Every structure is written in structure tokens, then in C-alpha cells.
């Protein structure tokens, strides 16, 4: 049985891809908006 199948997901507003919860985001999952550093840096370029 895979435990990671039930992790919460969000959709990145820049690349529109779903991304799953990661341990490094455990303290501030509610404020995580972007899937990667690359998407966070290019947030102003999103259409």
C-alpha cells in the first residue's frame, strides 16, 4: 500500500500542474502557492 497516494495536492498558478505536499512544506502548507522555485520566480510572467 502506498502511503503517498493520499497526500494533499494543489495546482500551481504558473504552470497549471498539480503538486503534492512535501515534508519541507509541513509548517506552512497553507501559504505554499508554487510548485517550484522556478515557478515562484516567474510568477510575474504568468498570463
Amino acid at each position: 500500500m502506498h502511503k503517498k497516494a493520499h497526500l494533499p495536492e494543489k495546482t500551481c498558478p504558473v504552470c497549471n500542474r498539480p503538486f503534492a505536499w512535501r515534508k519541507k512544506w509541513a509548517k506552512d502548507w497553507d501559504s505554499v502557492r508554487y510548485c517550484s522555485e522556478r515557478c515562484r520566480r516567474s510568477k510575474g510572467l504568468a498570463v
Side-chain angles (χ1 to χ4, degrees), residues 7-47:
L7 294 175
E9 288 189 352
K10 291 183 178 180
T11 302
C12 179
V14 176
C15 65
N16 292 320
R17 293 184 194 162
F19 61 98
W21 181 91
R22 293 182 187 174
K23 188 175 181 179
K24 70 177 184 178
W25 294 328
K27 291 181 181 177
D28 59 347
W29 174 244
D30 292 334
S31 64
V32 173
R33 296 185 61 203
Y34 306 102
C35 64
S36 65
E37 184 66 25
R38 180 179 178 181
C39 284
R40 189 186 67 79
R41 276 190 250 132
S42 62
K43 63 187 173 188
L45 304 175
V47 177

